[in-house]
Amino acid sequence: MNNNIEGKVIVITGASSGLGEAAATHLSEQGSIVILGARRVERIQELANEINKNGGKALSIATDVTKHEQVKALVDAAVQTYGRIDVIINNAGLMPHSPLDRLKIDEWNQMIDVNIKGVLYGIAAALPHMQQQKSGHIINVSSVAGHTVRPNGVVYSATKHAVRVISEGLRQEVKPYNIRTTIISPGAVATELPNTISEPDVAESIKSFYEQYAIPANSFARTVAFAISQPDDVDINEILFRPTSQML
Ligand SMILES: NC(=O)c1ccc[n+]([C@@H]2O[C@H](COP(=O)([O-])OP(=O)(O)OC[C@H]3O[C@@H](n4cnc5c(N)ncnc54)[C@H](OP(=O)(O)O)[C@@H]3O)[C@@H](O)[C@H]2O)c1
């Protein structure tokens, strides 16, 4: 195939639905080996079975990205099984939007734990292997909300801005190790993400926005494949994409 994806060992967090699931399917169709992490283990097992049945190679490992040791175990399993890790896609995330004055402090903490610390734990798990290999690719999922801020999405937006800052700092630090870094910032993509909103009025308005504008998750999978498939001396640092009909 010679697409610079074939044979690569790719770890994906949040692979049980939405963008992570779409990326796993697409990248395995391009010939990569995918290692799937998420908490809903039956979903990633089913996806791995499907990929293996279709002639691909996939492994599923129950992973909560808020637990550093579980993210390390996910990456270490990839290295033990396949001898290396070429790409990690730090994709797990949630978006329980609400206005700040509703004081949903547990949800703020959860977003910080998953969207920021989960990404850092993915970097911590993959970086030592990639430094040793002198090759690798770290892909972090931010959002349009990582470029803007809107009412009801303040904490989410803060976490997605943090992902971009961490990724850009990482990009500069890993220069000596031949490691590529990519930030992917999607607009509205049809996934289970709006289900994480607990405030009924906010959920209703976001769900109707998604029903009107969201594009299929394969749009994300194609951007990931584009970044990975570049020649090794080309580092796609950032991709921001939206549905054509989405204004903000
Ligand atoms: N869809 C969009 O419009 C959009 C736009 C911009 C950015 N994003 C970002 O894209 C990423 C993927 O979201 P999605 O849209 O695909 O939503 P989704 O369908 O709800 O998927 C979220 C994924 O994150 C996983 N996850 C959540 N908490 C986790 C934890 N503690 N440990 C491990 N995995 C966890 C979920 O798996 P389990 O529940 O099984 O653990 C699930 O696989 C998120 O970072 C999101 O912020 C999405």
Side-chain angles (χ1 to χ4, degrees):
M1 232 183 248
N2 195 20
N3 57 7
N4 214 14
I5 298 177
E6 188 176 8
K8 281 192 168 167
V9 178
I10 303 181
V11 173
I12 306 173
T13 68
S16 58
S17 65
L19 306 188
E21 180 182 1
T25 304
H26 187 64
L27 293 169
S28 78
E29 285 166 3
Q30 307 287 308
S32 72
I33 299 161
V34 289
I35 295 85
L36 315 174
R39 293 166 305 172
R40 288 172 294 176
V41 71
E42 65 296 338
R43 302 253 309 232
I44 49 175
Q45 254 162 15
E46 205 178 303
L47 179 59
N49 290 344
E50 185 71 17
I51 289 171
N52 290 323
K53 200 178 75 191
N54 293 334
K57 272 193 194 161
L59 196 66
S60 63
I61 295 170
T63 311
D64 181 339
V65 298
T66 68
K67 311 270 189 263
H68 167 231
E69 61 286 355
Q70 291 191 20
V71 186
K72 185 174 182 318
L74 171 71
V75 168
D76 288 352
V79 174
Q80 272 152 25
T81 312
Y82 298 110
R84 54 189 295 107
I85 171 175
D86 295 301
V87 183
I88 183 165
I89 306 174
N90 290 308
N91 162 72
L94 74 165
M95 186 187 72
H97 276 354
S98 63
L100 287 172
D101 64 8
R102 293 196 198 167
L103 310 182
K104 308 284 285 191
I105 291 169
D106 287 346
E107 291 183 350
W108 301 350
N109 284 330
Q110 212 188 349
M111 279 188 276
I112 290 164
D113 286 346
V114 176
N115 299 2
I116 303 179
K117 290 189 190 172
V119 169
L120 286 169
Y121 294 160
I123 293 168
L127 200 49
H129 296 292
M130 292 181 175
Q131 283 181 317
Q132 202 178 16
Q133 292 169 183
K134 282 238 175 352
S135 72
H137 192 164
I138 298 176
I139 299 177
N140 295 330
V141 180
S142 179
S143 171
V144 164
H147 294 257
T148 60
V149 62
R150 310 264 300 151
N152 299 342
V154 176
V155 178
Y156 179 72
S157 208
T159 66
K160 293 300 183 179
H161 277 74
V163 169
R164 292 185 57 237
V165 169
I166 291 163
S167 304
E168 170 56 15
L170 175 71
R171 183 189 72 77
Q172 296 176 34
E173 287 190 9
V174 296
K175 283 296 113 189
Y177 303 103
N178 187 36
I179 296 170
R180 304 193 291 181
T181 64
T182 303
I183 304 159
I184 302 188
S185 296
V189 179
T191 68
E192 296 174 20
L193 197 66
N195 298 346
T196 60
I197 303 170
S198 64
E199 294 291 284
D201 56 332
V202 182
E204 198 185 311
S205 89
I206 296 281
K207 280 181 182 167
S208 82
F209 178 83
Y210 270 68
E211 272 160 28
Q212 193 175 354
Y213 295 108
I215 51 177
N218 189 259
S219 56
F220 170 80
R222 287 194 305 273
T223 66
V224 174
F226 171 75
I228 299 173
S229 66
Q230 297 307 305
D232 290 341
D233 60 353
V234 178
D235 191 9
I236 302 293
N237 300 129
E238 182 143 24
I239 296 173
L240 168 62
F241 74 97
R242 292 176 173 85
T244 307
S245 59
Q246 182 182 342
M247 184 181 290
L248 297 172

